Amino acid sequence: MRVDFYAGIQLDGDSPVPLYSQIMESIRRAVESGQILPLEKLPSEREIAEKLNVNRLTVRQAVGELVSAGILTRRRGLGTYVARPKVEQALNKLTSFTEDMRNRGFRTATRLLELQIAPADRKVSQALGVAPDEPVIAVERLRLADEEPMALEVSHLPAARFPDLLLHKHELAHTSLYEILRACYNVTLDVAEETLEARLASAKEASLLEIHSGSPVLQRERVTLDQDGTPVEFVRSLYRADRYKFMVRMGR
Ligand code: GLP
């Protein structure tokens, strides 16, 4: 941490604004103005309290609120750091994880967690427009960027249309599903419909995504259609809420 950390913090004991809030806003401003940079380590709460001559609990409250707001992150046993800026992804273009991450200069990796054929449940059959219980291929993958887990995805595809997709196990573990669909099945993806909602990660999801159990995640469900308007995949993606924000441009 550079020495000017304390320079931006001027506390006013006579102000009606509580001290924790003054400290919080000072740190927030320092982060937003780039005075302290992403991944920089903050001094310990004890040191901040001593330097500012305030109670340690006051500092703890200020830091705690900034952690909840995603501006700071606590790393167990290591200390508190300025959070990395989130990946901002536009929602108005039908892209794949691999394309998105490569365009940003990240190295992508995939861990194939499950690949199986199973009867479609009600939701999957409706989304794909296949009869209930018709066989679908389920592909569960953990998606990583620069070695860090970003999203957990389960894609469902009609088995009748992609009968030998299971044979592409190696590619599914290493490359893009959309690229496989294009190169091996001549599928041109055209449009997708998505929903986006917030929820909390289960213990299993959190452990795969390397976040604390109960952390917020952003769940997207996508039905992707080909040029003929036929559903090709139904996918549920769980994005780490501490790493992603979504952007959409809307007209009026
Ligand atoms: C994104 C989308 C998924 C889609 C996936 C395909 O992650 N949210 O709906 O299935 O991209 O990615 P790739 O072609 O890299 O496997």
Side-chain angles (χ1 to χ4, degrees):
M1 171 60 56
R2 290 169 297 167
V3 278
D4 50 10
F5 174 72
Y6 298 100
I9 309 184
Q10 254 110 49
L11 301 183
D12 177 359
D14 297 328
S15 162
V17 179
L19 283 176
Y20 89 85
S21 183
Q22 294 184 38
I23 297 171
M24 188 178 91
E25 288 311 324
S26 305
I27 299 177
R28 187 201 300 275
R29 270 197 305 275
V31 172
E32 283 169 358
S33 67
Q35 189 194 336
I36 41 179
L37 297 172
L39 301 179
E40 264 194 80
K41 187 176 179 190
L42 258 67
S44 69
E45 288 173 10
R46 186 174 45 79
E47 186 197 307
I48 300 175
E50 272 168 20
K51 284 264 167 50
L52 299 178
N53 199 19
V54 296
N55 191 301
R56 199 166 154 183
L57 288 178
T58 307
V59 177
R60 174 150 274 264
Q61 189 176 0
V63 170
E65 299 231 357
L66 291 167
V67 169
S68 303
I71 291 169
L72 302 178
T73 48
R74 279 200 182 102
R75 300 203 202 144
R76 204 168 288 163
L78 292 174
T80 306
Y81 293 77
V82 178
R84 265 166 313 165
K86 294 180 183 180
V87 169
E88 183 173 307
Q89 195 193 329
L91 290 180
N92 42 2
K93 201 157 189 302
L94 174 52
T95 55
S96 73
F97 179 83
T98 308
E99 290 163 349
D100 286 337
M101 291 298 129
R102 284 200 182 141
N103 286 342
R104 293 166 202 278
F106 287 118
R107 268 170 293 112
T108 59
T110 295
R111 208 181 308 152
L112 183 62
L113 302 171
E114 200 165 280
L115 177 62
Q116 59 167 8
I117 298 198
D121 64 21
R122 208 171 55 89
K123 181 145 194 180
V124 172
S125 77
Q126 274 175 0
L128 290 178
V130 300
D133 293 334
E134 203 172 299
V136 289
I137 299 168
V139 188
E140 183 172 8
R141 296 176 301 164
L142 182 70
R143 318 301 305 264
L144 301 98
D146 285 353
E147 274 99 60
E148 185 190 29
M150 302 292 273
L152 187 59
E153 306 196 294
V154 188
S155 308
H156 296 89
L157 301 98
R161 181 155 179 195
F162 306 106
D164 53 1
L165 186 61
L166 293 197
L167 300 179
H168 293 275
K169 190 169 177 177
H170 180 79
E171 290 98 312
L172 283 168
H174 292 96
T175 58
S176 155
L177 171 64
Y178 285 4
E179 186 49 29
I180 296 171
L181 296 182
R182 189 196 63 77
C184 305
Y185 299 93
N186 214 8
V187 170
T188 307
L189 297 172
D190 190 26
V191 290
E193 283 172 12
E194 280 207 9
T195 58
L196 169 61
E197 60 193 303
R199 70 171 175 84
L200 305 180
S202 70
K204 184 184 163 212
E205 292 160 349
S207 131
L208 288 163
L209 288 168
E210 294 177 16
I211 52 181
H212 295 296
S213 181
S215 299
V217 282
L218 297 160
Q219 173 173 287
R220 288 166 65 182
E221 288 186 347
R222 172 186 290 186
V223 180
T224 319
L225 313 173
D226 67 10
Q227 265 173 328
D228 304 327
T230 308
V232 173
E233 68 158 358
F234 168 63
V235 49
R236 183 176 295 133
S237 308
L238 276 195
Y239 285 84
R240 282 175 54 165
D242 63 332
R243 297 298 292 119
Y244 270 93
K245 64 175 154 188
F246 296 107
M247 195 276 276
V248 65
R249 180 187 159 91
M250 50 194 82
R252 174 140 156 90

